[in-house]
Amino acid sequence: MSIVTQNHIQEAAAYIKDQCTVAPEIGLILGSGLGVLADLITDEVVIPYNQIPHFPVSTVEGHEGELLIGMIEGRRVVMMKGRFHMYEGYGPETTAFPVRVMKELGVTSLLVTNAAGGVNTSFAPGDLMLITDHLNLTGRNPLIGPNDNALGVRFPDMSTAYSPRLIQAAKEAAAELSFTFKEGVYAGLLGPCYETPAEIVMLRRQGADAVGMSTVSETIVARHAGIEVLGISCITNMAAGILDQPLNHAEVMETAERVREQFLKLVLKFIPKM
């Protein structure tokens, strides 16, 4: 397991600060096919991940590997256009390293989005789900190892991992657009293979409404760092066994493209409320 140190965090943040004059207050982490949110940023500075000290690189289609800093609706934002996953070979502390850097840059609230499979049979591809809670079923935790009290407490409270305040703000923004979010529990698995029908039955019995391969490590680290989190899943397909069809990444990308306009309108509405 790699150890993330304050020096690593500070060196990455110092490099980013040298590239721009905006001190971000909101962090954005985008899932597969949802990088379209970058279209909303104005006055942006673009920094490739491979130029930032200690940053990993993204290897998955739909994750472009750039950090963008700029403005959305008068708010200062830093956006990850592409994220890192444990199935790429990274440890959980590495996949969540950018959240540590965001905190060092001044971020106080974080929007995490992901593409997810629908486990709740009342969902349909194209639905957007507010994450009310999660199940960490990866078998890993980014806080394992020595705790640095300067970064957060040894045993962080996760009873409101996803901020009730931000969830309410998102609902209010959606209501202004006559849109209704789904709500539910996100199950985070290790991947990279899609789940079996039997695993989906198990997840439903455990209380999951959607399933994916990201988000939980980032949320855990954000809460450890004292950052509020809003999570949104784009239901890009129904999980295995619900519909009689194979699962593939192309479907994920196609559905994300279909919800693009609605997603952008919603973000424009609730970013000012964060």
Side-chain angles (χ1 to χ4, degrees):
M1 184 182 79
S2 62
I3 301 297
V4 172
T5 68
Q6 282 200 64
N7 283 343
H8 292 155
I9 297 165
Q10 290 166 356
E11 288 170 9
Y15 179 85
I16 294 166
K17 289 176 182 177
D18 284 344
Q19 309 305 307
C20 63
T21 57
V22 172
E25 53 187 330
I26 296 172
L28 308 168
I29 301 178
L30 310 181
S32 294
L34 299 175
V36 295
L37 194 53
D39 296 347
L40 301 181
I41 295 187
T42 59
D43 303 318
E44 73 269 25
V45 173
V46 181
I47 309 172
Y49 291 161
N50 60 13
Q51 294 181 8
I52 304 172
H54 312 295
F55 247 62
V57 294
S58 183
T59 65
V60 182
E61 180 185 353
H63 293 259
E64 296 188 36
E66 296 174 335
L67 196 72
L68 282 67
I69 301 175
M71 306 292 294
I72 295 180
E73 292 294 288
R75 303 297 298 274
R76 305 183 306 274
V77 303
V78 53
M79 175 186 295
M80 288 182 66
K81 196 174 180 183
R83 55 147 58 92
F84 317 113
H85 307 79
M86 285 182 277
Y87 64 71
E88 295 174 81
Y90 298 121
E93 66 289 335
T94 301
T95 64
F97 175 72
V99 178
R100 296 287 188 201
V101 176
M102 287 181 181
K103 174 69 174 181
E104 185 71 15
L105 293 172
V107 165
T108 58
S109 58
L110 175 68
L111 169 63
V112 290
T113 73
N114 58 56
V119 176
N120 187 321
T121 54
S122 72
F123 289 1
D127 284 342
L128 295 175
M129 183 190 87
L130 288 173
I131 303 175
T132 57
D133 206 344
H134 73 226
L135 296 167
N136 181 8
L137 301 178
T138 67
R140 305 183 188 184
N141 190 301
L143 305 184
I144 289 174
N147 186 66
D148 185 341
N149 291 326
L151 300 180
V153 298
R154 171 75 280 187
F155 302 108
D157 176 27
M158 294 293 289
S159 57
T160 53
Y162 299 89
S163 166
R165 180 186 75 84
L166 295 181
I167 289 172
Q168 183 58 34
K171 289 180 181 179
E172 291 172 1
E176 293 173 17
L177 294 171
S178 300
F179 177 84
T180 302
F181 280 108
K182 301 292 187 181
E183 297 180 47
V185 175
Y186 175 84
L189 273 65
L190 188 59
C193 56
Y194 292 113
E195 302 73 35
T196 68
E199 288 168 337
I200 295 304
V201 171
M202 175 193 71
L203 290 171
R204 189 177 300 115
R205 289 174 178 169
Q206 289 178 324
D209 295 288
V211 61
M213 306 170 192
S214 65
T215 301
V216 293
S217 290
E218 295 150 337
T219 297
I220 289 169
V221 164
R223 297 305 301 131
H224 185 247
I227 297 173
E228 281 190 283
V229 180
L230 175 66
I232 298 177
S233 290
C234 174
I235 306 302
T236 51
N237 57 276
M238 298 308 293
I242 297 176
L243 301 177
D244 186 20
Q245 62 185 49
L247 305 181
N248 61 77
H249 193 62
E251 181 184 6
V252 169
M253 301 298 292
E254 288 167 7
T255 305
E257 176 62 25
R258 179 158 58 85
V259 303
R260 168 193 174 110
E261 292 305 318
Q262 184 71 68
F263 181 65
L264 293 178
K265 290 177 183 177
L266 286 165
V267 172
L268 280 174
K269 277 288 184 182
F270 65 67
I271 284 285
K273 301 175 185 292
M274 291 182 72

